[in-house]
Amino acid sequence: MIPPQEASARRREIEDKLKQEEETLSFIKDSLDKSDQLTKNMVSILSSFESRLMKLENSIIPVHKQTENLQRLQENVEKTLSCLDHVISYYHVASDTKKIIREGPTGRLEEYLGSMAKVQKAVEYFQDNSPDSPELNKVKLLFERGKESLESEFRSLMTRHSKVVSPVLILDLISGEDELEVQEEVSLEHLPEGVLQDVIRISRWLVEYGHNQDFMNVYYRIRSSMLDRSIKGLKEHFRKNSSSSGVPYSPAIPNKRKDTPTKKPVKRPGHEHDFRVKHLSEALNDKHGPLAGRDDMLDVETDAYIHCISAFVRLAQSEYQLLTDIIPEHHQKKTFNSLIQDALEGLMLEGENIGAAARKAIGRHDYSAVLTVFPILRHLKQTKPEFDQVLQGTAVSTKNKLPSLIITLENTGAKALEDFADNIKNDPDKEYNMPKDGTVHELTSNAILFLQQLLDFQETAGAMLASQETSSSATSYSSEFSKRLLSTYICKVLGNLQLNLLSKSKVYEDPALSAIFLHNNYNYILKSLEKSELIQLVAVTQKTAERSYREHIEQQIQTYQRSWLKVTDYIAEKNLPVFQPGVKLRDKERQVIKERFKGFNDGLEELCKIQKAWAIPDTEQRDKIRQAQKHIVKETYGAFLHRYSSVPFTKNPEKYIKYRVDQVGDMIDRLFDTSA
């Protein structure tokens, strides 16, 4: 059992806790009551606030809508005012811009174009909104006047600032192609940069707003004139500044000739005394009167034309570059085609005139003129790829001009070659033009010189000949085919020359002089072939040509040596009388010996007198023939003299034994020497 005291204490403790719990419960109830009261108060406040918000919303929304409408109205009013201001401004454009447009764009292009833009907009406005308005006519007239002023300014700028390119600058431009050293590229400034930009601005405005193409015609006419005058100025530069050799002055081309034949007389082997043989053009022209200086003039004209062709290509390229900045793309080719016509036509016409002059000269058998065709034709062919590139996109008739000229000149050159070969074969001059001393004939030197001229233009001459072939292989114009044709042609000329020389040699009554004539000509031909590349060209189709000429030369030497038989036959052992040593000669035997001495002496003197006037210009050949003849005659005469000098066939031996053996040799050494 629990003691009473502990039970009492336990009860008090429980009662105290219960009392505390009751107090806590009472506090919680009070708090809940307060919370309920607060909740009721908050609900009441919120309900009141909601009611007020609803009232506010019902009041504000109509005000907001009304304000929005007012703002829209205000914006509309502002826009209307702005539109009115804009519209009104169009009515003032004419008066605002009239002064600027009347004064023109010179010196203030930017401002002028700005005014033209305002007028353009005014025209568009009135056309769309008030087509019957008198203001439309005003701005239209103003616009047209402004457009005319821009066209006039375009023309003025192009006219005032377009300059002819100086000849020296053109030569600098085209000489850069041939310089081995790297140098700064020569550029052309056709228009100052500021002017160019103004021209570009005007052209773009005229195309975009002015709907005008007339300025393109103005452009091409002005630039066409500059191009044509530049090329003509270069040609005139050649004429005025050419030295006697036809070389124009240019800092870029010091003493430089381009694509022209080197017309220098070929020195003949040993022709110390052959003053009759002249330069090719001089010799051929002698038949038709004096043409002093004509050859140099041909050189100048040829050089000028060749340089003008190159100048056209370079200047046309430069013109096209300028044109692309100024002319609209879809009009560029057409404008360029028109721009180059005058200059191109002039060059083509000049080329045709050169061909026509050459054809006339060929008709007169003057073949020096054709030498102008070869360098020109070669240069045209070399330049053709650039020509084609420059003329790309131009009219077909424009593109065909150069090929047509090339064909014309090729036909002319081929005709000249053909006629020259025929003329060599049929040259009629025999008695009147034959060298009395049997030296090289003028025809031979001219023929060889002409063939040597062809060496500078082997490919061109071969192509000329190939162009006349009808076979399919000829159309290929291969280098090997052209070379064979040229070789065949040279062999033909040499063959014709040989036939003609044989015919001419018959003019001489003395077979020995005829032999000397043929010897000199054959020897000159052979030496000329060997000293140049002609021998290699001949060998392409005729391997034995060199050997054949040597045989001909030797044959003529032998023919010449037979002329001495009438001298040596007098003293030849086979024709001498036989007698016994120590036996007194009979009168008949003495007379025969006297006749032999007299016949030898007279024959020797006669031949030496005649043949001393003959000529063998080649020193080597002259010495060779002298030595051979001297050896034969001295040996025969020495034997004869040894046999009869001690024989008492006469009382006056000095009358018959006139020459010692060494004297006979000296006499033969003076043969073929007109100065002796």
Side-chain angles (χ1 to χ4, degrees), residues 240 428 467 655:
K240 289 183 177 179
S467 69
K655 179 180 178 180

Side-chain angles (χ1 to χ4, degrees), residues 303-525:
D303 279 344
Y305 187 71
I306 285 172
H307 281 78
C308 285
I309 289 292
S310 295
F312 173 80
V313 173
R314 293 289 165 264
L315 292 176
Q317 288 173 340
S318 182
E319 287 292 345
Y320 190 76
Q321 292 173 355
L322 177 67
L323 177 144
T324 54
D325 291 330
I326 298 172
I327 305 299
E329 185 176 358
H330 54 289
H331 290 285
Q332 289 173 2
K333 295 296 183 182
K334 181 179 178 182
T335 304
F336 181 68
N337 184 77
S338 299
L339 189 155
I340 62 174
Q341 282 306 309
D342 286 349
L344 184 59
E345 283 283 357
L347 288 174
M348 295 302 105
L349 179 60
E350 187 176 352
E352 290 170 3
N353 289 339
I354 290 172
R359 288 192 293 274
K360 288 181 180 179
I362 293 165
R364 300 191 306 267
H365 302 299
D366 170 16
Y367 299 99
S368 63
V370 79
L371 295 175
T372 63
V373 173
F374 284 90
I376 289 172
L377 181 57
R378 180 173 68 181
H379 188 69
L380 290 178
K381 285 188 171 183
Q382 290 173 345
T383 314
K384 187 176 181 298
E386 290 182 286
F387 243 97
D388 292 342
Q389 186 177 5
V390 169
L391 302 183
Q392 192 175 18
T394 57
V396 175
S397 59
T398 302
K399 293 178 183 177
N400 289 339
K401 289 184 187 297
L402 182 65
S404 177
L405 178 58
I406 288 175
I407 292 172
T408 299
L409 294 181
E410 266 192 343
N411 291 337
T412 300
K415 181 69 166 59
L417 293 177
E418 179 185 349
D419 283 11
F420 182 78
D422 292 341
N423 189 62
I424 292 297
K425 181 178 180 181
N426 303 316
D427 178 59
D429 292 341
K430 291 183 180 179
E431 299 179 9
Y432 302 110
N433 201 31
M434 292 297 291
K436 294 179 180 180
D437 56 2
T439 189
V440 177
H441 195 278
E442 188 176 326
L443 181 69
T444 302
S445 61
N446 289 341
I448 293 300
L449 185 56
F450 186 84
L451 295 179
Q452 287 173 334
Q453 296 285 347
L454 295 184
L455 288 176
D456 291 335
F457 308 99
Q458 294 183 41
E459 187 175 344
T460 304
M464 282 180 179
L465 296 168
S467 69
Q468 305 304 303
E469 293 292 317
T470 55
S471 61
S472 59
S473 61
T475 58
S476 64
Y477 284 68
S478 69
S479 177
E480 186 62 30
F481 178 74
S482 297
K483 190 173 184 179
R484 289 189 67 82
L485 283 178
L486 184 58
S487 174
T488 302
Y489 173 77
I490 292 173
C491 291
K492 177 182 177 181
V493 171
L494 293 175
N496 290 349
L497 178 61
Q498 188 171 339
L499 290 173
N500 200 323
L501 290 172
L502 283 170
S503 175
K504 290 181 184 302
S505 68
K506 296 175 183 178
V507 172
Y508 296 111
E509 295 179 359
D510 190 336
L513 181 55
S514 177
I516 291 296
F517 171 76
L518 291 175
H519 164 272
N520 283 332
N521 282 273
Y522 292 156
N523 182 64
Y524 174 68
I525 293 170

